[in-house]
Amino acid sequence: MNNAIFMDRDGTINIDKNYVHNINNFFFIDNVIDAMVTLKEMNFFLIIVTNQSGIARGLFTQNDFLLLTKWMIAYLGMYYHVYIDAIYFCPHHTQGIMKKFQRACLCRKPNPGMLLDAKKRFNINMITSYMVGDTEDDMLAGQLAGVGTKVLVCSGKKITKKTKKTANWVIESLAFLPNMIRTQHGYTKYTNVF
């Protein structure tokens, strides 16, 4: 079985500027790319799981999201040799104005659908994996999917005491995750078996 880092996007990987959907508005949070490089070296699958209700709300199109995603993947691969194993996104929202996406679903976090799909596809050991995000919904999705460690980052939304209680770890940024894993689990190289 494989170990994964499930990552939210806005507020976790890039600065959350409300419904980011084009390259000009997309800025990586300091040092998160270096962290991704290290996490890949530690043999983790990197899987992005992101709610994108802006599609349902008519603020941008699914194609806008896909174009930005292709650019992000190419940028990370070309300049940093970081390979993102998969990106799952939920375009749905019950209050959306785009009929095609106006519905309740199992993929929108806090529902665990995106994580469970990835689990099947990549044969992931959820207990030895991590869910990283900046909201309670991220933590709850991780919990419902059976992810062993929920990691709340302070680089996005304002965090309440209630939200902190949903996480196993609270760290400043995804940038600190590799060192946190090493410190907490006491090894320098991750393998597929603990």
Side-chain angles (χ1 to χ4, degrees):
M1 295 185 85
N2 300 303
N3 302 314
I5 307 291
F6 294 100
M7 303 176 288
D8 174 47
R9 196 193 77 175
D10 301 322
T12 302
I13 293 172
N14 59 285
I15 297 168
D16 189 351
K17 296 191 165 205
N18 292 324
Y19 304 108
V20 175
H21 62 277
N22 64 54
I23 295 166
N24 296 334
N25 241 2
F26 190 98
F27 300 96
F28 286 100
I29 293 167
D30 288 347
N31 302 315
V32 299
I33 297 176
D34 292 335
M36 288 189 219
V37 170
T38 304
L39 291 165
K40 287 304 284 185
E41 289 170 354
M42 294 165 79
N43 292 332
F44 282 105
F45 277 63
L46 296 183
I47 299 170
I48 295 172
V49 286
T50 176
N51 287 349
Q52 292 293 326
S53 70
I55 296 169
R57 296 174 195 275
L59 300 172
F60 54 92
T61 66
Q62 185 165 295
N63 196 50
D64 291 331
F65 171 80
L66 294 174
L67 284 172
L68 175 57
T69 300
K70 284 177 186 173
W71 170 84
M72 181 183 73
I73 290 169
Y75 179 85
L76 288 170
M78 188 182 303
Y79 294 106
Y80 298 94
H81 306 291
V82 172
Y83 178 68
I84 301 295
D85 294 281
I87 298 177
Y88 291 84
F89 72 101
C90 173
H92 309 115
H93 199 281
T94 53
Q95 295 168 15
I97 62 167
M98 306 301 287
K99 291 286 184 201
K100 182 178 176 183
F101 303 113
Q102 184 190 58
R103 63 183 175 89
C105 64
L106 295 176
C107 54
R108 181 172 172 79
K109 296 175 290 183
N111 294 319
M114 293 187 282
L115 288 83
L116 295 175
D117 285 350
K119 175 188 176 183
K120 283 183 201 166
R121 180 177 168 192
F122 295 105
N123 190 30
I124 291 167
N125 183 341
M126 299 304 258
I127 297 296
T128 54
S129 294
Y130 297 78
M131 175 68 219
V132 188
D134 66 324
T135 68
E136 186 174 336
D137 283 351
D138 295 319
M139 300 302 99
L140 293 174
Q143 182 182 326
L144 290 168
V147 174
T149 308
K150 280 77 67 189
V151 184
L152 187 65
V153 294
C154 303
S155 50
K157 301 269 189 300
K158 188 170 171 30
I159 292 172
T160 64
K161 285 182 183 176
K162 180 175 174 270
T163 301
K164 282 184 180 179
K165 287 180 182 174
T166 62
N168 300 107
W169 300 348
V170 180
I171 59 176
E172 194 174 325
S173 161
L174 174 63
F176 295 92
L177 184 61
N179 282 339
M180 189 74 176
I181 291 171
R182 288 182 181 126
T183 303
Q184 295 296 317
H185 293 125
Y187 42 75
T188 55
K189 189 84 171 174
Y190 238 73
T191 61
N192 288 335
V193 181
F194 273 46

